[in-house]
């Protein structure tokens, strides 16, 4: 049997949802109107209502018998009246015949006429043949009359049953789902009730609201229930997740790769991008790139496409990734052949490695006489990027962005790596993607550059991006041409947002503006709550996060004053790793703590450790805003000790049992459809519902499981203290005997120290 909702089961059984919920409450199960039921819960409900129906079916049979007896009495009385009239007119023979034909129910009437019976029986002997015929004929006529009246009564009963069913259906239709954000007008439309009645009910609840004001969901449910509805809060974002799960089953097709260009300042990133665009833009496009929208599409002669992000390399990872967006597929690392590896080159490599993005190295400026590509290879191999010709797995291409030498080869390698990665996306259905850039235009209003990652974006679609929404009024590509639709890996400039979305926000297409507005309102409320409660990732919280199963790796960004201190700290911290927990230095450099370091820590959930360095003003502001933990030390031992203490909590905790209480079984009760319920007396501590339990018989553990149901008298309770009696039902176990001991316990996790 598959899963079934409470409402559907109620409809199938012809019952009210409340009746099913009441039965489940008796078993300590609370379910909403649209919640799914397990097989055991469905069986409990079926067993319960089969009993009731078996009792109820007996009652109608008695009522029908009584009705039939009354009908028969009426018919007999009517026939007796006719017989009296006939007695006055007809001869004595007819009176004898009618008396003989009378049914046993009319003995009272016959008792009054005992004397005539005796005289007639003595005077007139009954002839055999005619008597048999007449006795057979008249009961047939009586049976026909009774059957007709019975049919009429049955029709009336059927009509009454149909009315009851209609009433029950009407009651079922009155079940409504109320969104988390709803106005008085929308609530009146949903409940099909005039707004003034809604406002009157709100006043009774102490809420004074106009027709366009929002109503808290809890109050809206109370109003709906007061008006005879069964209400439940509907979570909009859950529906979107369910829709996405359904859409994931759609066939996925290959898509163009999304590439970001990274590297040190003045190593030729911008020149390389311009060269790639100019050499691959079709001649029919006058002037080439007409506007800058943060991303561009390059089409090769064979029709294959590559999408390039124009944002600065580090921002493509940090600012976008910090908001949960995974945009880039491949990173091109540009290194000047005459300059070699520089600090920003190392930073770019660490950023790409932190997010597991494959790197292709473009050794630029090989046209210069002082260029030394082999030097670049040697320096990068020390950082873990070993060239393929040296037996590694990193692709190196020597290019000249100025002359265009080997640029086509670089693009071929990009497409080859994309084929190996098997980049695929869904082309059908609503669009989903990431906001690359956004700006406020004086003439056009909020303008956002969107990168579609799944589905197809069309004009007229309603978008939701974090805490803002909008309707696509116009779309432009990177060449400034108007588009009607855009598929995966296509960057587009969109007009129609109500407010400016943030770079890195994910956008989704929803059904209509009403739904979009509701989702945005919910997200704003949740964001405010999270900002009040969130502390960011702190070193002190490491043990707690590991205990909750959220973390198995401690990531650290290390900044020091000298190379010697940096290398010593790196070695000491990485040696603290254990088989259960690893310490990973995702970025280490000499110098002060910068804004880039803070954004990388935010994106990768890392802790920043500074040795004899300080964060600049901008980094401090960003760290406070983004809740990034910065630890500053002047003694190496203190830094190592703090990380070691954090790792102690990260080791797998030891499980320890804590006995809550025990109860003695003094009686057992077998209930059909439920199982065996143990009548117990709590000897010590307390018995808690849904807690772990074991059944001990003569000092031997017979069963280990959970307390499925706990009742005191007829009421479900959460716990029963010492000295009280209660009813306990163990999960999936019925062989309970008098004298058994039920122990209730919980498992706690304790720290394991090194």
């Amino acid at each position: 049997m598959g899963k079934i909702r409470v409402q559907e089961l109620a409809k199938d059984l012809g019952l009210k949802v409340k009746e099913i919920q009441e039965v489940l409450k008796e078993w300590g199960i609370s379910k909403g109107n649209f919640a799914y039921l397990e097989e055991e819960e469905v069986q409990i409900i079926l067993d319960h209502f089969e009993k009731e129906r078996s009792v109820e079916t007996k009652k109608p049979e008695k009522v029908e018998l009584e009705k039939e007896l009354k009908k028969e009495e009426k018919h007999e009385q009517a026939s007796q009246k006719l017989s009296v009239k006939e007695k006055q007119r007809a001869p004595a023979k007819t009176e004898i015949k009618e008396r003989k034909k009378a049914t046993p129910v009319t003995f009272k009437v016959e008792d009054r006429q005992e004397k005539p019976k005796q005289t007639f029986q003595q005077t007139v002997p009954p002839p055999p043949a005619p008597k048999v015929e007449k006795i057979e004929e008249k009961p047939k006529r009586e049976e026909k009359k009774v059957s007709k009246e019975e049919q009429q009564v049955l029709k009336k009963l059927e009509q009454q049953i149909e009315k009851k069913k209609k009433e029950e259906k009407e009651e079922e239709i009155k079940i409504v789902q109320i969104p988390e954000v709803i106005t008085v007008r929308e609530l009146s439309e949903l409940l099909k009730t005039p707004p003034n009645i809604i406002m009157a009910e709100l006043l009774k609840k102490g809420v004074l609201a106009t027709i366009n004001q929002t109503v808290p969901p809890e109050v809206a449910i109370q109003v709906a229930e007061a008006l005879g509805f069964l209400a439940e809060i509907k979570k909009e974002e859950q529906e979107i997740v369910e829709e996405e799960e359904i859409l994931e089953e759609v066939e996925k097709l290959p898509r163009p790769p999304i590439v970001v260009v990274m590297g040190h300042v003045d190593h030729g990133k911008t020149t390389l991008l311009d060269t790639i665009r100019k050499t691959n833009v079709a001649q029919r496009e006058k002037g080439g790139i007409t506007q800058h929208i943060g991303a561009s599409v390059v089409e090769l002669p064979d029709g294959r496409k590559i999408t390039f992000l124009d944002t600065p390399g580090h921002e493509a990872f940090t600012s976008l990734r910090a908001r949960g967006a995974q945009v880039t597929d491949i990173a091109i690392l540009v290194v000047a052949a005459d300059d070699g590896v520089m600090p920003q080159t190392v930073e770019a490599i660490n950023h790409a490695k932190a997010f597991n993005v494959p790197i292709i190295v473009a050794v630029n400026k090989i046209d210069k006489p002082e260029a030394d590509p082999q030097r670049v290879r040697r320096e990068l191999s020390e950082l873990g990027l070993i060239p393929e010709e040296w037996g590694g797995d990193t692709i190196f291409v020597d290019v000249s962005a100025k002359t265009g030498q080997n640029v086509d080869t670089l693009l071929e390698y990009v497409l080859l790596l994309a084929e190996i990665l098997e980049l695929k996306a869904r082309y059908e259905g609503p669009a989903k993607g990431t906001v690359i850039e956004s700006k406020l235009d004086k003439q056009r209003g909020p303008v956002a550059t969107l990168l579609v990652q799944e589905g197809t974006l069309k004009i007229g679609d309603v978008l939701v991006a974090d805490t803002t929404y909008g309707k696509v009024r116009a779309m432009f590509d990177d060449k400034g041409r108007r588009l009607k639709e855009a598929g995966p890996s296509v960057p587009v400039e969109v007009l129609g947002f109500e407010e400016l979305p943030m770079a890195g926000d994910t956008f989704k297409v929803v059904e209509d503006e009403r739904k979009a507005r509701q989702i945005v309102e919910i997200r704003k409320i949740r964001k405010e709550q999270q900002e009040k409660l969130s502390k960011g990732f702190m070193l002190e919280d490491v043990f707690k996060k590991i205990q909750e199963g959220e973390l198995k790796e401690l990531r650290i960004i290390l900044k020091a004053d000298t190379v010697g201190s940096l290398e010593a700290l790196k070695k000491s911290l990485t040696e603290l790793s254990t088989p259960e927990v690893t310490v990973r230095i995702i970025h280490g450099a000499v110098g002060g703590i910068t804004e880039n370091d803070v954004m990388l820590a935010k994106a990768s959930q890392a802790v920043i450790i500074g040795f004899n360095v300080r964060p600049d003003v901008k980094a401090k502001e960003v760290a406070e805003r983004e809740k990034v933990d910065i630890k500053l030390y002047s003694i190496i031992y203190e830094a190592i000790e703090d990380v070691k203490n954090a790792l102690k909590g990260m080791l797998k905790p030891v499980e320890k049992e804590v006995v809550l209480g025990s109860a003695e079984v003094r009686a057992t009760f077998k209930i059909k459809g439920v199982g065996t319920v143990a009548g117990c007396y709590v000897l010590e501590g307390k018995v808690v519902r849904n807690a772990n339990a074991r059944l001990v018989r003569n000092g031997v553990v017979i069963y280990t499981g959970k307390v499925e149901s706990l009742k005191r008298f007829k009421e479900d309770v959460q716990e029963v203290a010492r000295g009280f009696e209660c009813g306990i039902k163990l999960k999936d176990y019925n062989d309970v005997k008098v004298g058994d001991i039920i122990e209730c316990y919980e498992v706690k996790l304790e720290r394991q120290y090194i």
Side-chain angles (χ1 to χ4, degrees), residues 93 143 211 275 288 341 435 582:
K93 288 181 183 180
E143 280 175 8
I211 196 164
T275 305
V341 175
V435 179
T582 57

Side-chain angles (χ1 to χ4, degrees), residues 436-505:
I436 302 298
E437 282 185 3
S438 62
K439 59 184 178 182
L440 194 62
D441 193 286
K442 290 181 181 179
Q443 295 177 343
R444 300 186 294 174
V447 180
T449 301
L450 308 180
L451 182 66
V452 182
Q453 291 173 292
E454 295 279 343
T456 303
L457 184 65
K458 301 174 184 176
I459 288 177
D461 284 347
V462 180
L463 302 172
V464 174
D466 195 32
T467 55
T468 184
Y469 71 97
K471 190 175 183 179
V472 180
R473 294 189 176 88
M475 273 197 299
F476 303 92
D477 66 1
D478 57 307
K479 316 293 186 303
R481 298 172 299 192
R482 280 183 173 268
L483 297 176
K484 290 185 178 179
E485 59 180 35
S489 299
V490 177
V492 287
E493 194 175 58
V494 171
L495 308 181
F497 274 100
E498 295 289 322
E499 299 172 7
L500 272 180
M502 295 291 289
D505 289 345

Side-chain angles (χ1 to χ4, degrees), residues 599-668:
M599 292 305 294
L600 178 60
K602 169 70 176 174
S604 57
Q605 288 287 296
V607 176
I608 298 173
I609 292 178
F611 180 72
N612 285 336
V613 293
R614 291 288 179 272
D616 57 29
V617 177
K618 189 73 176 173
K620 276 184 180 178
E621 290 176 2
V622 176
E624 286 176 9
R625 186 176 70 247
E626 300 291 346
K627 305 287 192 303
V628 173
D629 190 20
I630 299 176
K631 296 285 184 184
L632 303 173
Y633 301 95
S634 56
I635 301 171
I636 289 179
Y637 172 75
E638 290 178 357
I640 296 166
E641 194 65 27
D642 279 2
V643 174
K644 190 175 181 180
N645 290 334
L647 286 174
K648 285 177 183 178
M650 293 175 74
L651 292 171
K652 191 177 179 181
V654 178
E655 291 185 357
K656 187 179 179 182
E657 284 185 10
V658 178
V659 177
L660 298 173
S662 61
E664 183 184 5
V665 179
R666 295 191 172 179
T668 57

Side-chain angles (χ1 to χ4, degrees), residues 124-179:
V124 183
K131 277 180 187 176
V132 175
E133 288 175 4
K134 287 179 183 177
I135 288 163
E136 287 177 357
E137 285 174 6
K138 283 196 177 179
K140 283 181 184 177
R141 288 176 188 174
E142 284 178 5
E143 280 175 8
K144 285 179 184 177
K145 287 180 183 177
V146 170
S147 64
K148 283 179 183 177
E149 288 180 2
E150 281 181 358
Q151 285 175 1
Q152 290 175 358
V153 172
L154 285 168
K155 281 181 183 178
K156 286 179 183 178
L157 287 167
E158 285 173 0
Q159 288 173 359
Q160 288 175 359
I161 290 163
E162 284 175 1
K163 282 181 183 179
K164 284 181 182 178
K165 282 182 180 178
K166 283 179 183 178
E167 287 172 3
E168 286 176 1
K169 282 180 182 177
E170 285 173 6
E171 286 177 4
E172 285 179 8
I173 291 164
K174 283 189 174 182
I175 297 168
V176 291
Q177 283 187 312
I178 295 173

